[in-house]
Amino acid sequence: GAVVSQHPSRVICKSGTSVKIECRSLDFQATTMFWYRQFPKKSLMLMATSNEGSKATYEQGVEKDKFLINHASLTLSTLTVTSAHPEDSSFYICSARTSDSSYNEQFFGPGTRLTVL
Amino acid sequence: AQKITQTQPGMFVQEKEAVTLDCTYDTSDQSYGLFWYKQPSSGEMIFLIYQGSYDEQNATEGRYSLNFQKARKSANLVISASQLGDSAMYFCAMRERERNFNKFYFGSGTKLNVKP
């Protein structure tokens, strides 16, 4: 159990377009989802935390209007990179936590590699 | 100050030997959680082991054990009997509570290479 999927796994887009990445918890209800960004050979940088039905909490330095996060249901969160530019190229990873206290860890999706030309 | 510090950017270990990956953390919370994740070249994050701040015994999961030294704020990962498939990036992470949210902080990672 505790499987998280991300779609798409890879996306290449032109500069100026918007890209939507989906994160789904397949077999559990995710009360909280996290979005991370990872540069090559670097650590994960938390971008935002989203709780179902409420606005996402963004980390300092992350542009809310640039990275739109929607957590409309207990199994789906989306990250939309608006007006993407080459510097937005990165590996984006989502993770999810359940309210079930027997699970301490967050469950990660497989990641989405975004390349902006 | 950094929440999680991993001082070893890269490590080599001979197959079948044990290896310790270092991790120190910084928190003023009494209740927190410590995690280790493995990230192969494919990119997915694989949960390895968890240690709660109130757990008195060191966590173990198969070949993985966590050497938890609370007073020193260290949570080193020990991998016994290394296998070639253990070659990957390893991240130490901490969960603490901030403004009613659980927040996770990751270290910079250690790249482990297992030599045949």
Side-chain angles (χ1 to χ4, degrees):
Chain A
V3 178
V4 176
S5 71
Q6 266 183 257
H7 178 80
S9 57
R10 286 180 179 271
V11 58
I12 301 172
C13 68
K14 291 182 179 180
S15 187
T17 61
S18 294
V19 175
K20 180 185 281 189
I21 303 170
E22 290 187 350
C23 177
R24 292 183 186 272
S25 57
L26 298 184
D27 52 3
F28 68 100
Q29 292 188 327
T31 50
T32 306
M33 285 186 168
F34 303 89
W35 285 96
Y36 294 88
R37 182 174 180 176
Q38 186 178 29
F39 291 102
K41 298 182 181 180
K42 297 291 184 183
S43 187
L44 279 71
M45 182 193 79
L46 179 64
M47 299 175 66
T49 302
S50 74
N51 291 290
E52 185 265 338
S54 61
K55 288 184 178 180
T57 301
Y58 289 81
E59 294 300 301
Q60 197 171 10
V62 178
E63 298 176 60
K64 300 179 185 181
D65 296 332
K66 174 77 172 173
F67 300 99
L68 300 178
I69 290 171
N70 186 287
H71 191 165
S73 76
L74 284 171
T75 59
L76 174 65
S77 177
T78 59
L79 167 67
T80 302
V81 183
T82 61
S83 187
H85 290 284
E87 57 266 28
D88 299 325
S89 298
S90 193
F91 192 55
Y92 292 88
I93 309 177
C94 74
S95 70
R97 288 199 78 220
T98 171
S99 58
D100 186 342
S101 59
S102 61
Y103 290 99
N104 293 294
E105 71 269 33
Q106 51 182 321
F107 302 98
F108 283 88
T112 297
R113 193 163 301 281
L114 170 64
T115 303
V116 184
L117 303 176
Chain B
Q2 274 191 311
K3 289 283 188 179
I4 297 285
T5 302
Q6 292 179 254
T7 58
Q8 306 152 314
M11 290 278 286
F12 284 91
V13 66
Q14 200 69 39
E15 192 179 8
K16 298 180 186 176
E17 291 185 351
V19 63
T20 298
L21 305 184
D22 295 342
C23 173
T24 56
Y25 60 93
D26 179 30
T27 183
S28 56
D29 285 5
Q30 296 300 310
S31 178
Y32 52 89
L34 298 159
F35 304 79
W36 277 93
Y37 288 87
K38 173 183 177 181
Q39 188 180 41
S41 56
S42 53
E44 76 269 29
M45 295 288 282
I46 302 168
F47 166 73
L48 297 178
I49 197 167
Y50 166 80
Q51 178 87 41
S53 57
Y54 292 118
D55 296 340
E56 294 185 352
Q57 298 216 342
N58 287 342
T60 59
E61 288 286 347
R63 294 186 298 111
Y64 304 108
S65 61
L66 199 150
N67 185 357
F68 182 44
Q69 297 190 40
K70 196 170 182 177
R72 296 179 60 185
K73 293 188 175 178
S74 75
N76 298 340
L77 176 70
V78 180
I79 305 175
S80 62
S82 297
Q83 301 172 356
L84 295 178
D86 293 335
S87 294
M89 280 291 286
Y90 288 81
F91 291 98
C92 179
M94 177 176 67
R95 181 196 69 224
E96 63 176 18
R97 200 86 174 150
E98 183 174 315
R99 294 196 310 265
N100 293 325
F101 287 105
N102 281 307
K103 290 194 71 171
F104 287 81
Y105 300 92
F106 284 81
S108 54
T110 296
K111 185 168 175 59
L112 178 66
N113 285 292
V114 180
K115 298 186 291 184

